[in-house]
Each structure stands twice: as C-alpha cells, then as structure tokens.
Amino acid sequence: MRSKTKVKCLNTGDFIKIEYEMRVGDDKKLVATSKEELAKENNIYDEKQKYGDIVVIVGQEGLFKEINESFKNAQVGQELEVEIPPEDAFGQRLPSNIKVHTMREFQRLNIDPRVGMEVEINRKIGRIISVTPGRVLVDYNHKWAGKKVYYKYKINGTITDTAEKVKAIIANNYDPEGFNVSVDDSIRIEIPENAKFSVAWLDAKYTIVNTARKYIPGLDILITEKYEKGKGEEQNKTETTAEQPAAEQRETPAEAKGSGQEETNAKN
Amino acid sequence: MRSKTKVKCLNTGDFIKIEYEMRVGDDKKLVATSKEELAKENNIYDEKQKYGDIVVIVGQEGLFKEINESFKNAQVGQELEVEIPPEDAFGQRLPSNIKVHTMREFQRLNIDPRVGMEVEINRKIGRIISVTPGRVLVDYNHKWAGKKVYYKYKINGTITDTAEKVKAIIANNYDPEGFNVSVDDSIRIEIPENAKFSVAWLDAKYTIVNTARKYIPGLDILITEKYEKGKGEEQNKTETTAEQPAAEQRETPAEAKGSGQEETNAKN
C-alpha cells in the first residue's frame, strides 16, 4: 500500500471542475453529459447547452447525496462511478401520481390527447398513458421516477481564485456573458445590459448571492449596474414586464408623486 | 410697470418644488392636493400619501401641457392657476366607451351588479350605469372624462444640488426610504434591502435612469446593491416571484448548469 500522505483530498466547499455522464434505468441510457461528442453520438445533443467541464461545490445542496459522499474519497484526475437508488434520485413511481382527466378538460385546453404525449396541466408536467372516449389518464410521476441513476465523473481540476469561483457561481445560475467580476476587500460584480431589467436575473441573483456568501465567506458583495452617460433611452430596456401606458402622458404632478412601491405598482 | 430684469425665470429641466391643488368639473371639486390640512377638510385625505411639496421638472413629459406652458412665465413664490380643457386632461366622454355586458358575465365574475359600482373587467376599470334583468351597462370612460381640470400651484423653491435632484427623481417613482445617493464623477445610488429583489423596482429603475440621464446629463449612473458579509440567507429575500422548488433538492450537476437565461427561467 502506498502512503496517502501526499494525496490531496477534497473538502466541503472546494470548487471542482468535472466532466460527467449521467445514465438512467436498467439500460443505462445516457440522459446528460458535459461531453459534446458523446452527446452527439447518443442523440441527446442540445445546441442551447454549453458543453465542457462544469463547476460544482463539494457538499453543495442540490447535488445527489451519493455524489457528495463520493467526493470525500475522490481526488483530482480520478474517475468515479456513483449509483443512486430511485428513492434518492427522482423518487419512486407512485400510483397516486396518476390522475384521471375528462375529455372535456382536454377540449378546454385545446389539446387532442394521444398516448405518449407530454402535457402540462395546472403547471404540472405529465405523460398521457391511456385515452378512452370519456377519460384520459395522465402520469405525473417524474419520467425517471423508479429508476436508478448512474453517475460517472472525473475531476479535472479545482478553482482557488476567488473571482473565478464567483464567475463559476454566476455561470451555474445565469448566462455569464458580460459579467465583470473583481475582488479586493469586497466581491465586485458588474452586471451586463441584459440583466439590468430582467426578472430572471432577480431569481438568479438570490441564489448567486447566497451561494457566494456560504462558500466564499468573509467578503461583502457589491453588485453594480452601470448606465453610461449619453446613451439613448431606448438602448436600456431589454426585458421588462410593464409598458408605459398611454395614460401616463396625461399624468398630473399629483399622480406622478408615488408614495411607495404599492402605488408605483398600481400605476403600471 | 416694474422692470423684469431682476426676475429669475424658469427653464426647461429646472427642478422645482411646488404645492398644488387639483380640481375637476364645474363644481371645482378638489380631487388631489399636496396640502395635508386641505385634504382632510375636503375628505380626500389618504394616509398612504405623503403630503408636502412635490418636485417636478419643468418641461417633463407626463405633465399636462398647459402646466408646462405656464412654467414659462412662472416665478418662485408666485401662485398660478391653470385651466385644462377636457380634451387635454382626461379626454372627452365617448359613447363608444360604454359597453353592454350580459348578466351571466357578472355571475361568472361573482359580482352582484349595482348602479354606481366600480368594476374591473378584462383589466379595464368602469362604472355600472344601468342594470336590467339580462344586461348591465358599464361606462369605461375615465371618471373625469369630459371635465375641465383646474390646477393651482405655487413654486416654493428650486433644487440645484445634483444628489437632491436624483433623490427627487427616485421619490417620484419609488419609496425613497433607504436609498443612498452621492455624486462625484458619477451618480452613485445604493439601493435598500426592499428593492434588491423587487419587480416593481425594475420598472421604477427604468424611469429613474432615463429621467436622470435626460435632466442630469453628463454623468454615468452607477446603481449598487450591497450584501454585507456574514448576514444570514433569509434576511435577503424581501420580495421575489419564484420560490425554490422542491425538485431542486434533487438537481444534478448536469441540470444545475444553466446555459442561459431561458433555461434559468424554465427551471423556475
């Protein structure tokens, strides 16, 4: 046996770069991977996905617990395989997740139901498993419920630079294009044009700030958006929920004086 | 006649503090004012409104054009009255804005229609003007349509300090509580906790940035939000649209890698 004193082990909170393959079910069907070529060979290539190593944080919530466990004995350069039982992966298949709908409901939704079709009803996604003249059975179990998950990964490196860690956290939650990150006594993040008026950014920001606080503690975080002088009004607004109502053209000073958030809302 | 050479006239873009009374119709009913006592005397006091002088910008869009016109000859300390004809105020009353609804529509909306009731149907606000067994007439004309508006105001001062101007623009569009504004080579705005995850702030910000760019030109605007180190996760989120779905607990690294805004959206 070789001495283990020279082996560098991973610790909770380490940022690691991994390549991975995720397979599901008895036939170990490939359902996700970081490897572009492998995705193409298996007909699961998605041009919207960015391929290449991903960054995960050891111990991070949201990872399968078996994967987090496996990190304890993992080393950089090593390839590992992890098996995740259905109950820890996408849950067991539950008969109670199969619901009966009337044909009329489908008519109202303007859907012509066919077996195998994926549908979204009341914000839940399910698959149609049977269609009879009056009734439609929809299976709302996760499509991988009841299946084992096989996860193979290789750690290609670690990230120690603070700014790189922040960039990785951003990239895991939002399109990182255009973000400027620098670190001095604080973490400074300048956000790009497309995030300035984005509701999706509000949600991503929440996760990004909390993840950074947890895994890069001891630094204030300053998020800045810059509006350069002399730029046109129209260049600004890339995404927003409300349009300027025509009525505002007639707004009086009395009405223009918002007395808080609620009233501002009411106007729009 | 006194010489007018000493009189300081207003220019487009001047920030002025005014007190005002807005009256509507032949009976000159008071409908809005900056004066708390007067509002109480006329039974239009609204505890959510902040009373006291408001700040308007001479020439600003959104003011009645007759008021903007009147500024040309107005001076600080002077009281002026402006009459705005219906067509420039809330429009003429149009018969085509009166719509017939069936009683069944009201049943579906769970409204028991009565004459004089204000209702919101298809996002339009109207008043019920007649109810017969089968039909309900709703008048969607603005309640002040067809009426003259009388506007009395007095200019109590002007604002010349840049930071004060920015604060006034913020206060006209959002609750200004907690905002820090400073000016050096840029306009620097630090936003408070309640704005950090607020959709209402996105809209207000759009107007604030554009108004500041237009009337305080020549300076970059930097909007910053600060997250202090060591603060808890929960303290952050004061308002947001999406909650963390339970499914994220099972999120794989593969799924955790968002490849852009759209996918981030889809996850939430």
Side-chain angles (χ1 to χ4, degrees), chain B residues 93-128:
Chain B
R93 266 181 68 87
L94 298 174
S96 59
N97 282 337
I98 297 170
K99 306 279 183 199
V100 182
H101 293 276
T102 61
M103 190 60 87
R104 187 166 291 183
E105 282 180 83
F106 277 84
Q107 283 165 350
R108 230 179 278 143
L109 292 166
N110 236 335
I111 300 170
D112 179 21
R114 267 167 299 200
V115 172
M117 191 186 247
E118 192 169 80
V119 289
E120 188 180 330
I121 299 174
N122 300 328
R123 297 188 179 189
K124 284 172 71 184
I125 289 169
R127 278 151 313 285
I128 295 174

Side-chain angles (χ1 to χ4, degrees), chain A residues 48 50 62 64 89 172 174 196 205 220-221 223 225 227 229 239-240 250-252 256-257 259 261, chain B residues 48 50 62 64 89 174 196 203 205 220-221 223 225 227 229 239 250-252 256-257 259 261:
Chain A
K48 278 187 287 181
K50 280 175 191 146
F64 292 127
N172 277 345
Y174 197 79
K196 286 176 179 172
K205 181 172 71 174
D220 290 342
I221 302 167
I223 299 178
E225 45 203 284
Y227 301 86
K229 60 190 170 197
E239 181 201 337
T240 184
R250 300 199 296 256
E251 197 175 75
T252 66
K257 195 193 184 188
S259 61
Q261 196 167 311
Chain B
K48 278 187 287 180
K50 280 173 192 148
F64 292 128
Y174 198 80
K196 286 176 180 172
D203 288 327
K205 182 172 69 175
D220 290 342
I221 302 167
I223 299 179
E225 45 202 283
Y227 301 87
K229 60 190 171 198
E239 180 201 336
R250 300 200 296 255
E251 195 174 78
T252 65
K257 195 194 185 189
S259 62
Q261 197 167 311

Side-chain angles (χ1 to χ4, degrees), chain A residues 78-184:
Chain A
Q78 200 184 3
E79 191 162 61
L80 279 113
E81 273 204 71
V82 181
E83 192 180 309
I84 300 137
E87 60 271 25
D88 291 339
F90 297 96
Q92 297 290 7
R93 269 180 67 87
L94 298 173
S96 58
N97 281 337
I98 296 170
K99 307 279 183 199
V100 181
H101 292 275
T102 59
M103 191 60 87
R104 187 166 291 183
E105 282 180 84
F106 277 84
Q107 283 164 351
R108 229 178 279 143
L109 293 165
N110 236 334
I111 299 170
D112 179 21
R114 265 168 299 202
V115 171
M117 191 185 247
E118 193 169 81
V119 289
E120 188 180 330
I121 298 174
N122 301 326
R123 298 188 177 188
K124 284 172 72 184
I125 289 170
R127 277 151 314 285
I128 296 175
I129 54 172
S130 100
V131 180
T132 58
R135 312 187 327 162
V136 179
L137 282 188
V138 178
D139 182 357
Y140 289 103
N141 286 293
H142 191 284
K143 64 177 165 178
W144 298 328
K147 294 190 174 184
K148 274 189 195 162
V149 169
Y150 302 90
Y151 210 88
K152 188 155 82 176
Y153 69 90
K154 187 178 160 197
I155 303 175
N156 285 333
T158 59
I159 295 178
T160 52
D161 179 71
T162 302
E164 291 304 317
K165 286 182 177 179
V166 176
K167 283 178 196 167
I169 294 170
I170 293 170
N172 277 345
N173 292 283
Y174 197 79
D175 179 0
E177 180 82 27
F179 280 82
N180 283 319
V181 177
S182 62
V183 178
D184 44 34

Side-chain angles (χ1 to χ4, degrees), chain A residues 209-237:
Chain A
V209 167
N210 284 330
T211 306
R213 276 180 158 171
K214 188 167 180 183
Y215 294 105
I216 315 173
L219 292 169
D220 290 342
I221 302 167
L222 294 169
I223 299 178
T224 299
E225 45 203 284
K226 185 174 183 176
Y227 301 86
E228 284 175 48
K229 60 190 170 197
K231 284 219 176 164
E233 295 195 8
E234 292 73 23
Q235 291 176 21
N236 257 331
K237 205 169 192 177

Side-chain angles (χ1 to χ4, degrees), chain B residues 2 78 83 95 112 133 146 159 167 182 196 204 206 246 258 266:
Chain B
R2 278 168 52 193
Q78 198 184 5
E83 193 180 310
D112 179 21
I159 295 178
K167 283 178 197 167
S182 62
K196 286 176 180 172
Y206 178 69

